Amino acid sequence: MVVLAISVCTKSGKALISRQFREMTRTRIEGLIASFPKLTSSGQQHTTIETEHVRYVYQPLEDLFVVLITNKQSNILQDIDTLQLVSRVVSSVCRPTDAREIDRNAFELLSSFDEIISLGYRENVNLAQVASISEMESHEEKIQEMIEKNKEREAKEELKRRAKILDLQRKEQRKQMGGGMGGMGGMGGMGGMGGMGGMGGYGQSMGGYGQGSSMGFGNQSGGMGNQGYDSSASMDDSSSKFSAAPKAPATKARGMQLGRKQNNVDLMESLRSEVEKSTPAAQQMAPIQPIYSAPAEPAFPMESVHVHIEEKITMVANRDGGLENMEVKGDLMLRVSDPARTKISLALRHLDDSSIQFKTHPNVNKALFGSDKIIAFRDSSKEFPLNTPTGVLRWRFISKDEGSIPLSINCWPSPAGDGTCDVNIEYQLENENMTFKNVNIIIPLPQGATPTVGEADGEYAVDHQQHALIWQLPSISSENASGSMEFNCRGEDTESYFPVSVQFESERLICDVDVLAVTQVADGSEIPFSKQSILTPVEYSVV
């Protein structure tokens, strides 16, 4: 079979997107697609049309057509199978399937077409493989990035530790140098020479060590002591001669030479300066966060077997209460820190809904999971890696059923006739088994407007920088399943109060995935484990 092109067009023959797999000009493909609707007939039951040069294999998709243009020698059965896969790809990427969504997701669709057809020939792929390739996600890459960032964090901590060690060594070095200078001053006092008495006077500028030596020298020999005193007095009389001399550099250099440790101190000073320069730069780096969703240091104690379950929800509803699209993606990650508990299995629970698509790790026994909801390796001799978060299960849930919405938001802006709008906004907990925490409902405001809030459940705040009113609720549960807020704001354009977005977190998941027990593969005994579940929105808005 040879597929010349895959196209999505309207019923009037206007091409929305088209991917050619053989050399064809734009005018040629536009002409073929434009002539296609004229060849169709509403009374026909088949979905193929043959012309003098090409064959059309098509399928209606709401108000559009998905069309394969092939040569007349291609295998019609393979063409129909390819058409069905292409239609499923278009339906999964574009919800709803209309011209606007096709245009918005054109790049993803064309990339998916390239995975299905290569140089006109069908690749051996299915819908799940095409979706996986299009997502371009690699669990191994995430783990590697997490390891690299942990190494960076450890290197930064090691740098700080070495800086502290160098600082302590530097202080200790100063103490040792001070003791050495005192000893040398004492030796000067025992010399028995008048010149050394003068050095005692000169030693006052070095911390008083020489003064002690001069006094000791004077006690031993009165005449020589007077000599020493006279020499120091003569130095006072001629202090103007010494004032021009740079005292500090000479004193430091001579003191360092006496101690014989100048090279070591310079080396430590240079190392310290490099560390001090690098430490602020390291402190300005963004805080290290792992790639996977589980926190590195949770607030609760972790067992040697820890399970982290996370769901991300994307939901867009319209202001009339209808659901535009809703998608939930979930991951279950396992971390084992005890070598004696690396051969384990997990007993799970989840909603029995055929629209939830589960995908296990390649090494997991898929048949066992499908029948008994148990996560275990196909090869019982395999072990889970130590101290490394391992993704063992992923799932995806897509729905256009309004009953799937867990928390609905209703916003009613009404012009008051005096240049302002009265806005009523309310929430309703649709799934009473769930509890949402730290809820922020963000309502856009007209430029420069300040709302006057009347009645409100919970608290609120005005973000003047983002031009938004934030309705804050600590939690939403069955005890406060509904709530409302009213405010008045300058501006009569009702569109300026949309889209309304919601931020929250919940420990109860949409697909209700949970780990019930963890057992040893060898003897079936249960072992203690810790778990954390969290649901957060990627996008949750009313447009």
Side-chain angles (χ1 to χ4, degrees), residues 252-430:
K252 288 183 179 179
R254 186 167 298 175
M256 295 299 290
Q257 289 175 357
L258 289 171
R260 292 295 181 185
K261 293 185 178 180
Q262 181 176 1
N263 293 336
N264 292 337
V265 174
D266 290 342
L267 177 60
M268 285 190 292
E269 287 288 344
S270 62
L271 289 174
R272 175 176 169 78
S273 63
E274 291 181 3
V275 172
E276 288 177 347
K277 289 179 181 178
S278 59
T279 301
Q283 291 175 349
Q284 294 176 359
M285 293 174 61
I288 301 300
Q289 294 183 355
I291 296 302
Y292 67 100
S293 56
E297 295 181 359
F300 58 91
M302 289 175 54
E303 297 285 349
S304 58
V305 177
H306 179 70
V307 179
H308 181 83
I309 313 172
E310 181 178 22
E311 278 189 345
K312 298 284 188 180
I313 180 172
T314 302
M315 195 282 295
V316 178
N318 57 50
R319 63 192 71 176
D320 298 327
L323 178 61
E324 297 286 340
N325 63 75
M326 174 176 166
E327 181 181 35
V328 178
K329 291 184 177 181
D331 288 276
L332 190 151
M333 306 193 76
L334 178 66
R335 182 187 180 97
V336 181
S337 57
D338 186 354
R341 296 177 175 178
T342 54
K343 295 183 179 181
I344 56 176
S345 63
L346 284 69
L348 270 61
R349 178 194 72 192
H350 61 77
L351 285 180
D352 292 327
D353 191 336
S354 59
S355 58
I356 304 176
Q357 301 174 1
F358 288 95
K359 185 176 182 181
T360 59
H361 189 279
N363 292 331
V364 169
N365 190 331
K366 294 179 176 59
L368 185 61
F369 173 76
S371 60
D372 300 333
K373 301 178 183 178
I374 292 179
I375 296 290
F377 281 128
R378 288 198 305 264
D379 185 356
S380 58
S381 63
K382 284 186 175 292
E383 300 179 349
F384 284 100
L386 280 175
N387 299 317
T388 302
T390 304
V392 295
L393 180 66
R394 291 179 180 176
W395 60 94
R396 185 185 185 196
F397 172 63
I398 298 176
S399 175
K400 298 192 72 174
D401 182 9
E402 299 172 6
S404 302
I405 301 177
L407 179 67
S408 61
I409 306 295
N410 193 3
C411 182
W412 285 85
S414 303
D418 57 355
T420 64
C421 254
D422 293 326
V423 182
N424 293 272
I425 183 167
E426 60 181 1
Y427 70 83
Q428 179 65 45
L429 181 64
E430 305 293 346

Side-chain angles (χ1 to χ4, degrees), residues 46-62:
H46 55 80
T47 57
T48 61
I49 298 174
E50 289 191 8
T51 65
E52 183 179 356
H53 301 289
V54 297
R55 175 189 295 152
Y56 298 96
V57 184
Y58 64 95
Q59 178 176 331
L61 201 62
E62 296 186 8

Side-chain angles (χ1 to χ4, degrees), residues 108-127:
E108 288 79 2
L109 290 174
L110 294 175
S111 299
S112 299
F113 293 168
D114 285 341
E115 299 300 332
I116 298 173
I117 302 295
S118 176
L119 299 176
Y121 296 94
R122 164 73 183 276
E123 295 288 340
N124 187 20
V125 293
N126 54 33
L127 180 61

Side-chain angles (χ1 to χ4, degrees), residues 153-217:
R153 181 171 57 188
E154 292 173 359
K156 189 168 69 172
E157 294 296 331
E158 180 67 17
L159 188 65
K160 292 180 181 179
R161 187 183 66 82
R162 290 184 180 182
K164 291 181 180 178
I165 293 175
L166 286 175
D167 194 33
L168 293 175
Q169 289 179 348
R170 186 169 178 267
K171 292 179 180 178
E172 185 67 24
Q173 187 70 22
R174 287 177 178 173
K175 292 180 181 179
Q176 293 177 1
M177 289 170 56
M181 291 297 294
M184 294 302 295
M187 291 175 65
M190 298 300 292
M193 298 177 62
M196 293 303 289
M199 181 175 287
Y202 180 69
Q204 291 177 0
S205 63
M206 299 176 66
Y209 300 112
Q211 184 177 2
S213 63
S214 174
M215 292 175 65
F217 180 76

